[in-house]
Every structure is written in structure tokens, then in C-alpha cells.
Amino acid sequence: MTNPYEKAFQRSINDPEGFWGEAAEDIVWTKRWDKVLDGSNLPFYRWFVGGQLNTCYNALDHHVASGRAEQPALIYDSPVTQTIKTYTYRQLRDETALFAGALKALGVAKGDRVIIYMPMIPEAAIAMLACARIGAVHSVVFGGFAANELATRINDAKPKVIVSASCGIEAQRVIAYKGLLDGAIEMAQAKPQRCIILQRSALECELTPERDIDWRAAVASAQPADCVPVAATDPLYILYTSGTTGEPKGVVRDNGGHAVALKWSMKAIYNVDAGEVYWAASDVGWVVGHSYIVYAPLLKGCTTVLFEGKPVGTPDAGVFWRVIAQHKVCTMFTAPTAFRAIKREDPDGKLIKDHDLSNFRALFLAGERLDPDTLKWARKQLNVPVIDHWWQTETGWAIAANCMGLHAYPVKEGSPTKPAPGWNLQVLDPETRETVKPGEIGALVVQLPLPPGSLPTLWNNDRRYIESYLAEFPGYYKTADAGFIDEDGYAYVMTRTDDIINVAGHRLSTGAMEEVLSDHPDVAECAVLGVDDDLKGQVPVGFLVLKAGLRRSEEEITAEVIKMVRDRIGPVAAFKKATVVKRLPKTRSGKILRGTIQKIADNKDFKVPATIDDPTILGEIEAALSTIGLAKARSKPIAS
Ligand code: COA
Ligand code: AMP
């Protein structure tokens, strides 16, 4: 007998229009769609063509109008500023409408872009929702990125206005945003007309005359703005994510498909109902923050928690349990790295015992591979289901999950369970492009059309969208993850097939780091690889071949390249290790043997590739790695 998950999955694949058309009844439309799925302009698909709606209306006003006005919509919990502030749906609607009015007063209209460069404060969510309210397209840039990364995004999105704050507050330090913002605007060719800056008492900043406006002053003189209906296919936001070059990809999210899929996912995947408290401990700068701190819980009528703190050190490894207990959180979502950090500080879970977690039902983890140790530890400490699920910035919501609201499957370690409804996941042989047998590793791809909520294209770059995702496997979306599906239909995600690495659940391009390193005048050649890290999953390590005849010390040069990556990409890259080598191991045709270097760094046995140009270099690499605390246990070459 088929269970509700199987029923939903089969229908979503065989009758996507029927399945998603039904889900769309849960959204308030100002004009009903003409067609659920439009495939008339292949390879592009569009959902709910002809429909009109407003995402902010669905996330706020609709709940105010239908009995949730006094229910908490958002709880801001900030251990770094010792603040807890609750906004009801009415309050959040009113503040959003006012800020939307402030944007309107600056000339921001439907289709204009607004960049939001803010820490984890309610105003970041308010700014996002305010853009949605007036049909403007927001693009949130994570605070841990450097000015240069912000400048790249300004050039691509060409925002009319940038919304920022005077500072962000990290566990150990206060980060002045204004210098980064000014630096980025100076670097960028596309200049915003105005900036709205929220002054925070931890560190106020001087406003740039003519250009900057104080958030509070802008709001004080504003009139609340109404919701503007937009087409279902109009962009709601652009979110930049690492690509295989230094140029980030501008992932576009539409309004209609996004609202339908995200609202549906709250029950189907997370098993959360309206009125319940849901907490995604991430950052609004990442897709998890967009989807599950802001949009999905509010579309559903839940209370969302916006947490400005870290899993450890703000003030201790018990803060997650305190937040869950204090706000009666039923379901939480974070990255495995957060749990590894807690486990390291409080291995026996002593701090959990101080808190009443009786409302807590499930922990969802994503963003990187969930290692079995962390899974077991979390399950033992919390005594609730611990659910791995797999997704990407591009997909907007889970490609594979144990859909708790449909049917809870037994958890298999290392697997995010089964493809979620809407995702026709397949494993293809990268050479023959044919489907492989169950259990065989290949390219994880999704047969088109992708479900609603996934990216329709890249901002102003249909060609790159096709080249990056559709060209290699015609008729499929390439996830750029490799893995397999077992006999029971469980998916396993093993590794990226490109140069992306995952550092503390943050997606970074090693190619972008190599571009920075190559700019150092003393560097002749370089490679950046992700090596295993107990806390962050992976961390980048740089290998530098220096130009001949240099008289400078290697330490000086490595310190300089480390600083360059921090200055150009940002502290979030966590690029703290680089070493000088005489040569890089290569094949006879000149390809750097990245896989072999990585295995040596990770103390794994490796095969000396038959095509290697000079096998003696591997010993030099091992010696260089040991100078930076890696390759401690000697890796053993095994027969090739
Ligand atoms: N603004 C400015 N700087 C930031 C920042 C922000 N929003 N977020 C991080 N940084 C800085 C940090 O201060 C740190 O700087 P440092 O090199 O001076 O120490 C650097 O970027 C790296 O940050 P992070 O990766 O967060 O490492 P960490 O050592 O500070 O903390 C964890 C490690 C595991 C506690 C942390 O990564 C974490 O909480 N992860 C949770 C998972 C998560 O949010 N994932 C997102 C996707 S779900
Ligand atoms: P991002 O776009 O930042 O969300 O990163 C997406 C990438 O993170 C995916 O392509 C995977 O490589 C990785 N990832 C996300 N979730 C998981 C998971 N549950 N298991 C394994 N890898 C994951």
C-alpha cells in the first residue's frame, strides 16, 4: 500500500500541474493563474503563468486579516546584545509597511533592486519583506563577505538603494559595516542612489552626506505602503552564490512558485502547523535564512525565531537549548557544524539538562554532509528525530528529505532519505549520460521541470544558467553533487563535482580563492583545496609555488596571501592555512592532481596516479603539509 509520501511523490511527477495547482490554493492570489506550468519556451519553465499575488501580503497581511494579528510572528533573540523582542503579525506588518513607504519615498518601485547588507537583526527581515511589498527585488549579501564581494554584487544587481547597518556583532568582536559598504560602493561601477543605514548602539557610524539616510529618520517621515500585486513569474529576490569562478551566480527566485512551494513545505517536510514556533539558526544572508527564517514560516503563519548569536560562546554551548525552551520551539533547522561546535564544548550534553525541551519535536540539518557521529550525538542528547535534508541555494528548498508531514521513514546514516515531491532525482553516468544501477555513484541530476520555488534562471544571464545547470545533461538539472540512490530509493550525497567546498555550512569556491592568490606578485602558481576539518567539515588550504629568485621569507608571503583572501573574499572563507611548495604534482598533460593532494592532507591512503609526471613531488607535498599541522598520520601510497 502506498503511504502519503509515495502518493504525493508519484502525483508530483506524473501530474505536476494537478499537484502544485492544488497546493497553490493555499496562497492568496490577486489574479488566478492561467496555466500552472508553462513549458512553451524550453529549456525554461515558468510556474503559475498569468497569476498575480504579493508575497508580503501572504506572509503578513493575510494573517492579520485572518485572526493571527496578535500572534507573535517574529522573535528576535540576541544574546550578543542581551535583547529579546517579539513582533506580533500586526506589528511586523505595520513596521514593514512603513519601511516599504520609506523605500518608496526614495523612488524605489516595482522591479528596482535593493541590496540588503545587514547583520541578524529584525530590520533585515523587515527590509526584505518591505521590498516584496512594493514589488522591488531584494538581494541580501551576507555580512561575512568583504567589500570586494559586495561590490561584485552591486555591479551585477545595480541596486537603486542599499540598506545596511552601522555594525554587526560577532561572538568576539564588533564588525563595522560602514567602511565595508563605502569601500564596496567606491569599487563598484554601478552606484546606488541612496543608502539607508540603521544605527546600532554598539557602534554608530558617520553617515555620508547626500547619500545616506538614517533608518529611523526615513521611517519617521514615511507613509505606510500598500502591497503591490506582481506577476507570479516576477522576481522576488536575487541571491548570489559561489560559482566555479570568482563571479558569483545571481540565483533568481520568483514570487508565485516560491510562495506555493515554501508554504507547502512547512507541513509536508517539517510537519509544522500555523501557530507553532519554528527556528532556523542560520543567517538571512544564506538561502536557509531566506527560505526558513523569513518566508516559509511567515507564509505558514508560524512564529519564526531570528537568532543573533552563535551555537557556542554567546555565552556558552547551552544557548540553543535555552532558546528552544524559552520560546517553545517545536522544530529547529541548522547546519551540522553548529552541532559539532556544541559537542566539542559540551560532549556529555550537561547543559541540556538545565532546560525544558518538552515542546521540541524534531531537528533538521542541512548545508553539508551530516556525519554519523554528529547524527548519533544529537539524537542521543535530544531524543527526537534528527533529519538530514539536502538542498542548494538554487533549489530554494529540499531536493531530498525525510518528509515528516507525509511519512516518517527510518533514518539511514549518511542519507537525506528520499527525493522530496517535485524532485525527479536520477543518477547518471557522467560519461555515457545513462542512468546507473542502484548503489552506483554518478552525477545527481533532476529531470526537468524543476518544481516551483527552484531557480527559473540566473539574474540577467540566461546563458550562464543553461551552461551551468542544463547543458551537460540535456533534459536534466545538474546539481553538481555526486552520489547514489540505494535499492530502497534513499539518496546519498557524497561530494561536489566542481570546485565548491563547504566551510561551516558556507559554500565557497576554491577557484575564487585561487584567483586571489594568483594576484600576489610573488606567486607563480597555486592551488586551493578543501581539507577535512573536525569542526567546519572542510577548510581551504593554499599551495603556493613562488617565482624564482625571490629573497623574501615564505612566512611573509603566506601571511600576505592569507590577508588578501580575508580582505577580498571575507573572513567567512576561513582561509588561514597556506604553504609553499617547490612544485605542484601534475599529470603528464599538466593537470594538477588535486585529489591526491587532498588525500595526503586528509591522511587517507592514495593511489599514485599512473599519469603522474614526477612521483617524488608527493613526498614534498606531505612535508609541506606537516609544517602547517596537516598530513600528521602518514598517508600510504597504495598500488596504482
Ligand atoms: N559578519 C561578519 N563576520 C562574520 C559573519 C558575519 N555575519 N559571520 C561569520 N563571520 C566571521 C567570523 O567572525 C569569523 O571571523 P574570524 O576569522 O575573525 O574568527 C569568520 O567569519 C568565520 O566564521 P564562521 O564560519 O562562522 O566560524 P566561527 O569559527 O566564528 O564559528 C561555527 C564556527 C560552527 C560556530 C559557526 O560557523 C556556526 O555557527 N555555524 C552555524 C551554521 C550556519 O549558520 N550555517 C549557515 C548555513 S545553514
Ligand atoms: P548552498 O547552496 O550553500 O546551500 O550549498 C549547497 C551544497 O551544500 C550542496 O550542493 C551540497 O554539496 C551541500 N549540501 C547541502 N545539504 C547537504 C546535505 N544534507 N548532505 C550533503 N551535502 C549537502
Side-chain angles (χ1 to χ4, degrees):
M1 222 173 56
T2 54
N3 66 45
Y5 157 80
E6 279 169 27
K7 233 171 104 185
F9 182 80
Q10 289 310 333
R11 179 155 186 234
S12 74
I13 302 302
N14 300 331
D15 174 22
E17 296 204 58
F19 183 85
W20 292 111
E22 214 170 282
E25 301 292 350
D26 211 15
I27 291 293
V28 181
W29 300 83
T30 47
K31 179 179 172 290
R32 204 178 158 81
W33 56 90
D34 300 325
K35 209 166 172 2
V36 175
L37 175 63
D38 178 13
S40 60
N41 180 27
L42 295 178
F44 301 96
Y45 288 92
R46 294 289 180 266
W47 288 95
F48 305 107
V49 176
Q52 289 186 0
L53 76 163
N54 184 281
T55 298
C56 179
Y57 181 87
N58 276 278
L60 300 176
D61 304 57
H62 169 61
H63 301 304
V64 175
S66 52
R68 298 194 182 277
E70 308 316 321
Q71 179 199 306
L74 185 146
I75 300 171
Y76 167 54
D77 188 312
S78 169
V80 294
T81 59
Q82 311 272 326
T83 312
I84 293 178
K85 186 173 174 190
T86 299
Y87 295 74
T88 63
Y89 269 99
R90 186 194 306 283
Q91 286 165 336
L92 195 59
R93 193 270 317 262
D94 290 350
E95 296 220 8
T96 300
L98 263 186
F99 190 67
L103 287 172
K104 241 174 107 173
L106 296 182
V108 177
K110 186 172 157 181
D112 288 336
R113 273 81 57 214
V114 173
I115 278 189
I116 300 171
Y117 184 57
M118 291 185 114
M120 279 291 287
I121 50 178
E123 287 80 0
I126 289 170
M128 291 164 76
L129 291 159
C131 289
R133 193 170 187 87
I134 55 172
V137 181
H138 63 69
S139 186
V140 182
V141 179
F142 177 61
F145 282 125
N148 184 58
E149 289 286 325
L150 178 56
T152 316
R153 287 152 173 80
I154 295 173
N155 278 337
D156 198 61
K158 299 187 177 49
K160 196 174 239 179
V161 167
I162 298 184
V163 185
S164 189
S166 57
C167 68
I169 303 168
E170 281 291 288
Q172 307 298 334
R173 61 202 167 96
V174 172
I175 291 150
Y177 272 41
K178 186 61 179 5
L180 296 168
L181 175 68
D182 290 349
I185 294 175
E186 206 179 300
M187 265 180 247
Q189 279 100 47
K191 310 281 181 200
Q193 290 171 11
R194 309 296 292 263
C195 296
I196 302 181
I197 313 280
L198 182 87
Q199 295 282 15
R200 302 188 77 193
S201 57
L203 180 71
E204 298 214 340
C205 64
E206 214 168 291
L207 300 185
T208 304
E210 322 269 289
R211 190 196 73 189
D212 294 350
I213 307 157
D214 177 273
W215 172 294
R216 290 183 188 88
V219 164
S221 59
Q223 293 300 313
D226 280 340
C227 294
V228 173
V230 298
T233 51
D234 279 341
L236 169 67
Y237 70 76
I238 309 165
L239 179 58
Y240 289 88
T241 189
S242 298
T244 44
T245 66
E247 290 293 309
K249 292 170 173 163
V251 168
V252 175
R253 198 79 61 210
D254 65 8
N255 273 274
H258 173 256
V260 170
L262 260 58
K263 187 168 186 186
W264 171 88
S265 74
M266 285 302 287
K267 180 68 189 169
I269 296 182
Y270 300 97
N271 197 22
V272 171
D273 288 305
E276 296 193 300
V277 184
Y278 179 91
W279 177 27
S282 177
D283 189 290
V284 286
W286 306 115
V287 68
V288 175
H290 280 65
S291 293
Y292 291 106
I293 296 175
V294 181
Y295 287 111
L298 295 178
L299 286 164
K300 186 69 183 173
C302 298
T303 302
T304 185
V305 179
L306 191 137
F307 174 71
E308 188 182 30
K310 297 261 176 181
V312 293
T314 59
D316 58 30
V319 69
F320 274 21
W321 326 134
R322 195 270 296 155
V323 172
I324 292 172
Q326 187 164 350
H327 305 306
K328 299 192 165 39
V329 171
C330 73
T331 300
M332 178 186 191
F333 177 174
T334 191
T337 190
F339 269 73
R340 288 197 295 271
I342 297 170
K343 181 175 141 206
R344 196 159 80 164
E345 302 245 319
D346 181 22
D348 300 323
K350 291 201 180 88
L351 297 170
I352 299 180
K353 319 260 180 310
D354 304 341
H355 301 283
D356 171 11
L357 304 187
S358 52
N359 289 288
F360 192 51
R361 292 202 302 261
L363 170 67
F364 282 78
L365 297 169
E368 56 176 325
R369 199 182 145 263
L370 171 58
D371 54 286
D373 278 356
T374 306
L375 168 71
K376 283 187 214 141
W377 185 84
R379 205 162 40 194
K380 180 169 167 229
Q381 303 302 331
L382 293 166
N383 205 18
V384 296
V386 176
I387 308 297
D388 183 12
H389 59 330
W390 165 54
W391 51 301
Q392 311 180 310
T393 305
E394 288 86 345
T395 68
W397 58 283
I399 310 169
N402 203 346
C403 294
M404 297 301 278
L406 294 172
H407 179 81
Y409 279 97
V411 168
K412 290 198 197 184
E413 280 173 24
S415 169
T417 317
K418 303 201 177 204
W423 299 95
N424 190 351
L425 184 67
Q426 306 283 333
V427 189
L428 300 187
D429 180 313
E431 304 294 326
T432 63
R433 302 203 175 92
E434 278 171 16
T435 307
V436 302
K437 292 200 204 81
E440 270 178 34
I441 294 182
L444 291 168
V445 298
V446 181
Q447 193 168 338
L448 299 177
L450 297 183
S454 51
L455 83 170
T457 189
L458 293 175
W459 181 247
N460 276 343
N461 210 337
D462 286 349
R463 207 174 65 179
R464 192 173 179 197
Y465 168 71
I466 294 172
E467 280 168 6
S468 305
Y469 304 108
L470 308 183
E472 196 170 330
F473 301 99
Y476 298 89
Y477 164 82
K478 177 178 84 166
T479 65
D481 280 311
F484 64 94
I485 300 180
D486 73 9
E487 299 277 357
D488 299 325
Y490 280 58
Y492 291 76
V493 183
M494 314 293 286
T495 178
R496 289 284 301 196
T497 56
D498 54 13
D499 73 341
I500 300 290
I501 57 170
N502 223 302
V503 181
H506 308 138
R507 168 170 162 180
L508 296 159
S509 156
T510 53
M513 292 183 221
E514 286 175 5
E515 282 176 27
V516 176
L517 265 46
S518 330
D519 273 356
H520 191 288
D522 298 338
V523 171
E525 204 181 2
C526 67
V528 176
L529 298 172
V531 305
D532 287 350
D533 182 80
D534 286 348
L535 175 66
K536 299 195 176 192
Q538 282 184 302
V539 286
V541 171
F543 296 85
L544 313 171
V545 179
L546 301 182
K547 288 182 181 158
L550 287 175
R551 296 240 175 107
R552 307 186 53 213
S553 83
E554 292 179 357
E555 289 72 31
E556 221 176 317
I557 297 170
T558 48
E560 282 167 8
V561 299
I562 287 170
K563 182 167 182 312
M564 278 171 78
V565 174
R566 193 174 173 94
D567 290 349
R568 289 218 214 151
I569 296 181
V572 69
F575 183 80
K576 299 201 168 160
K577 285 187 172 169
T579 182
V580 172
V581 291
K582 285 202 196 71
R583 297 160 297 170
L584 290 165
K586 291 186 183 168
T587 60
R588 281 191 281 276
S589 59
K591 221 170 135 236
I592 298 173
L593 290 164
R594 292 165 188 278
T596 313
I597 308 178
Q598 197 159 357
K599 287 211 169 76
I600 298 175
D602 294 342
N603 308 312
K604 291 188 180 132
D605 293 345
F606 62 92
K607 279 186 187 163
V608 179
T611 52
I612 192 164
D613 185 30
D614 176 2
T616 61
I617 303 178
L618 297 179
E620 289 171 25
I621 293 286
E622 187 159 358
L625 281 165
S626 67
T627 64
I628 51 170
L630 294 166
K632 281 189 203 133
R634 268 188 83 86
S635 313
K636 284 191 293 303
I638 51 177
S640 44

